[in-house]
Amino acid sequence: MTVVQQVLFEVESPYFGHPYFVSGNAVFNAVASRVDERTRRSLHVSHGVFVPGEYGEFPEDASQDGYAGKLGKSLPEVNAYEDLFVFRDAAQRWLLSSRPRDAHNVLPVQSHGGRVAFAPETWFGRPEGQRKQRRSVSWYVHCYVHSDVDGVVPVSEDVLDGLQLGGARNYGFGEVSVVETQLVDLDALDYSGVREADGLQLELVTPYVLASEAPDADSQSVPWWWGVPADGLRRRETRLVNGDESHAVATVDHGQVVEYDGGDAVRTAKNGVTRVGTHSRFGFGEFRLRPCGADRVPERTAAASGGDA
């Protein structure tokens, strides 16, 4: 049995860090100082994904459907494999079409004494004549933890509440509070969407590490079961920070899609949630499988048909 603990944090103060996500390494270091050695040695932490506290509806491939209220402010129920990625889809397809999706894909910035940080909320203006001229949308962070050692998960909410993530923490930046946590047994989920697909694509949710300057980190090649396109893969260098030390990390950039050429799709799907490769313990190497016939961006179909689809 493989159990992951999903965690939804609310961002309480400006965040000074990575613009695309909160690295699992940052979350791990924040937790590590609050737990015992056994937990510290065995805990695995995903990257944190920014989520706006907005109105939404369940995506087409989720186990639930229809309007979901302010979905971004709570954890959706997880019954199927696809439910794990409702908030971890960079396109935020759960947002209602009436919500300003483009604005919600860009975190607002603030300047604090020369430091440019991300604001914990976004303000939107209203047309004249409305009862209130402005409305605010708070930001949340979605991540999950797991361990191969019994008794480590769930991590207590008292441990997780009030963590500080990112840089400039001694100035009060990056404070988060726990909104909700829930346990998910990966073995108990419905994988029919993966099992019954005629063909599958692999979408890289977080960067996959090829080489790292961190101690004891192994270099690795692109997995053989990735159908790499003829023009290759987009690569990016990032850094793994541990206290005063910083190590260069060469990665295959996240967000890319390749053909899946492997055999055991359900097992691979589970491995993608717990992540593969070097530094997987710190959030790198997360991916999901999708049926090849499913358009990742349904709006393109409507645009191509003149809006009739």
Side-chain angles (χ1 to χ4, degrees):
M1 183 173 70
T2 303
V3 175
V4 300
Q5 179 186 9
Q6 290 191 324
V7 184
L8 187 66
F9 295 107
E10 182 172 1
V11 182
E12 301 287 357
S13 66
Y15 165 73
F16 184 63
H18 201 291
Y20 299 140
F21 46 70
V22 180
S23 74
N25 184 56
V27 181
F28 174 84
N29 285 329
V31 174
S33 63
R34 296 185 170 193
V35 296
D36 57 34
E37 179 66 19
R38 175 174 176 269
T39 299
R40 212 163 29 243
R41 291 170 61 89
S42 63
L43 196 65
H44 297 241
V45 184
S46 79
H47 281 13
V49 176
F50 292 107
V51 180
E54 268 285 21
Y55 293 94
E57 60 186 358
F58 292 104
E60 184 177 341
D61 57 3
S63 63
Q64 302 179 71
D65 56 17
Y67 177 69
K70 283 202 171 182
L71 181 59
K73 289 190 170 186
S74 62
L75 290 172
E77 185 177 342
V78 179
N79 299 304
Y81 168 69
E82 291 78 10
D83 297 337
L84 293 167
F85 300 96
V86 170
F87 286 156
R88 302 186 73 76
D89 180 356
Q92 297 173 340
R93 292 172 179 84
W94 59 270
L95 280 170
L96 288 180
S97 58
S98 60
R99 302 295 97 181
R101 181 176 284 113
D102 289 346
H104 286 319
N105 275 320
V106 181
L107 294 169
V109 296
Q110 297 176 336
S111 179
H112 297 267
R115 291 183 175 85
V116 177
F118 300 107
E121 59 185 3
T122 300
W123 285 92
F124 293 94
R126 292 178 181 269
E128 291 186 11
Q130 295 282 342
R131 185 170 62 88
K132 294 182 178 179
Q133 290 300 304
R134 295 200 304 167
R135 69 180 183 94
S136 65
V137 174
S138 299
W139 282 96
Y140 297 79
V141 173
H142 175 273
C143 70
Y144 58 93
V145 299
H146 77 278
S147 173
D148 298 327
V149 177
D150 292 340
V152 170
V153 173
V155 178
S156 168
E157 291 191 12
D158 291 338
V159 170
L160 299 171
D161 197 48
L163 294 179
Q164 284 184 270
L165 310 173
R169 295 184 300 278
N170 55 326
Y171 292 98
F173 284 61
E175 183 178 355
V176 295
S177 61
V178 174
V179 175
E180 187 179 2
T181 73
Q182 69 177 353
L183 295 180
V184 178
D185 179 2
L186 298 185
D187 297 328
L189 298 181
D190 176 9
Y191 291 89
S192 58
V194 170
R195 185 182 292 109
E196 298 171 4
D198 293 332
L200 292 167
Q201 293 178 322
L202 183 151
E203 179 180 354
L204 201 56
V205 178
T206 65
Y208 174 82
V209 175
L210 297 170
S212 172
E213 294 181 354
D216 303 321
D218 296 326
S219 296
Q220 54 198 6
S221 59
V222 173
W224 63 267
W225 33 275
W226 291 18
V228 178
D231 56 353
L233 294 166
R234 186 177 67 250
R235 305 192 180 200
R236 183 187 298 269
E237 182 175 297
T238 185
R239 305 198 72 80
L240 192 73
V241 179
N242 186 13
D244 295 331
E245 299 180 353
S246 178
H247 308 285
V249 178
T251 71
V252 176
D253 204 6
H254 67 292
Q256 299 179 87
V257 177
V258 299
E259 298 298 319
Y260 172 63
D261 292 335
D264 190 343
V266 172
R267 182 179 178 183
T268 302
K270 295 177 185 177
N271 288 341
V273 177
T274 55
R275 300 174 300 280
V276 298
T278 295
H279 302 319
S280 60
R281 183 185 178 194
F282 304 122
F284 293 90
E286 178 185 348
F287 63 85
R288 71 173 293 184
L289 298 181
R290 294 179 182 270
C292 286
D295 195 333
R296 294 172 55 247
V297 187
E299 291 82 357
R300 288 187 304 207
T301 304
S305 61
D308 296 330

